[in-house]
């Protein structure tokens, strides 16, 4: 079974702090994604990565950056956390070849910025 | 741009009954994939069912089935013999054949009563 893990389930940070959210997948998937989930808004794409060292902006990249130095790991970075970044963050991965295009999700990190 | 709309923020059903969750989408693509994901409270998002647009036959997975109407751009999920464990938020999602990020609806919260 595919396993996607995220470094923290719950995180509390102060405004202005630099925050790192880590995601690791164990199925050698090329594609990895970071989504933000807010009530009434569903999931919105922040960034995604086609492969190592490759990244593309999603719908809401402002205030975020990403890093993918190894295939299995995709990090989301909040350069200077703000209260409007309080949210649930979901990581996902997917096999890049032709197929079903199903994404596998991690358990999520609930981030609170105070 | 592709969009996914779930018009029912909340639904309720009694155990053993059947419930249908609605989803419509907008796209100019002819080949694409549609998904229903389930997110139980405080638990990981998992895939419930997928549908390839080129397949006319509606997908089924045990108690879960879809009604895929390509011309109407409609993709509803039917849950038969509802169980307490079906209580969750359900997301409808779309991806095109290039298989990049998923586009999600805003979700439907399903409650199941005994």
């Amino acid at each position: 079974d595919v396993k996607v893990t995220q470094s923290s389930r719950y995180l509390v940070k102060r405004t202005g702090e630099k925050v790192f959210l880590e995601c690791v997948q164990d199925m050698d998937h090329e594609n990895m994604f970071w989504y933000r989930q807010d009530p009434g808004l569903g999931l919105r794409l922040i960034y995604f990565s086609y492969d190592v060292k490759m990244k593309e902006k999603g719908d809401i990249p402002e205030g975020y950056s990403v890093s993918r130095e190894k295939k299995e790991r995709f990090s989301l970075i909040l350069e200077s956390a703000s209260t409007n970044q309080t949210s649930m963050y979901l990581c996902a991965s997917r096999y890049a070849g032709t197929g079903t295009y199903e994404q596998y999700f991690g358990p999520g990190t609930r981030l609170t910025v105070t | 741009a592709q969009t996914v709309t779930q018009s029912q923020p909340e639904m309720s059903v009694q155990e053993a009954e059947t419930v249908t969750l609605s989803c419509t989408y907008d796209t100019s693509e002819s080949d694409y994939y549609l998904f229903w994901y389930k997110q139980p409270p405080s638990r990981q998002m998992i895939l419930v069912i997928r549908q390839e647009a080129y397949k006319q036959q509606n997908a089924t997975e045990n108690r879960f089935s879809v009604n895929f109407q390509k011309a109407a751009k409609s993709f509803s999920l039917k849950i038969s013999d509802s169980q307490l464990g079906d209580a969750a938020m359900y997301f409808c999602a779309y991806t095109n054949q290039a298989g990049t990020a998923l586009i999600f609806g805003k979700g439907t919260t399903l409650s199941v009563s005994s």
Side-chain angles (χ1 to χ4, degrees), chain B residues 89-114:
Chain B
M89 180 163 280
Y90 288 82
F91 290 97
C92 178
Y94 163 101
T95 191
N96 62 21
Q97 195 177 23
T100 54
L102 291 169
I103 298 170
F104 287 88
K106 294 182 179 181
T108 297
T109 300
L110 177 67
S111 58
V112 182
S113 56
S114 55

Side-chain angles (χ1 to χ4, degrees), chain A residues 29 65 89:
Chain A
H29 284 169
S65 62
Y89 291 88

Side-chain angles (χ1 to χ4, degrees), chain A residues 37 40 94 101-103 105, chain B residues 33 37 39 44 50 97 99:
Chain A
Q37 182 179 5
R94 191 189 74 86
Y101 302 119
E102 174 185 352
Q103 291 188 13
F105 285 83
Chain B
Y33 293 78
Y37 279 88
Q39 187 180 40
Q44 206 146 339
R50 73 172 69 86
Q97 195 177 23

Side-chain angles (χ1 to χ4, degrees), chain B residues 18-54:
Chain B
T18 295
V19 64
T20 299
L21 308 184
S22 301
C23 174
T24 59
Y25 59 94
D26 189 24
T27 183
S28 57
E29 307 276 352
S30 57
D31 292 323
Y32 49 87
Y33 293 78
L34 296 164
F35 305 87
W36 279 98
Y37 279 88
K38 171 185 177 181
Q39 187 180 40
S42 301
R43 291 180 61 188
Q44 206 146 339
M45 188 165 323
I46 56 173
L47 179 70
V48 174
I49 198 165
R50 73 172 69 86
Q51 175 78 44
E52 294 88 341
Y54 65 86

Side-chain angles (χ1 to χ4, degrees), chain B residues 49-100:
Chain B
I49 198 165
R50 73 172 69 86
Q51 175 78 44
E52 294 88 341
Y54 65 86
K55 289 187 178 178
Q56 292 188 341
Q57 187 171 7
N58 289 326
T60 61
E61 288 287 343
N62 300 315
R63 298 182 294 107
F64 298 88
S65 61
V66 299
N67 183 4
F68 174 50
Q69 302 288 330
K70 191 172 184 179
K73 297 180 182 175
S74 171
F75 182 61
S76 60
L77 174 70
K78 185 171 82 170
I79 306 174
S80 303
D81 187 26
S82 297
Q83 301 175 359
L84 293 176
D86 294 333
M89 180 163 280
Y90 288 82
F91 290 97
C92 178
Y94 163 101
T95 191
N96 62 21
Q97 195 177 23
T100 54

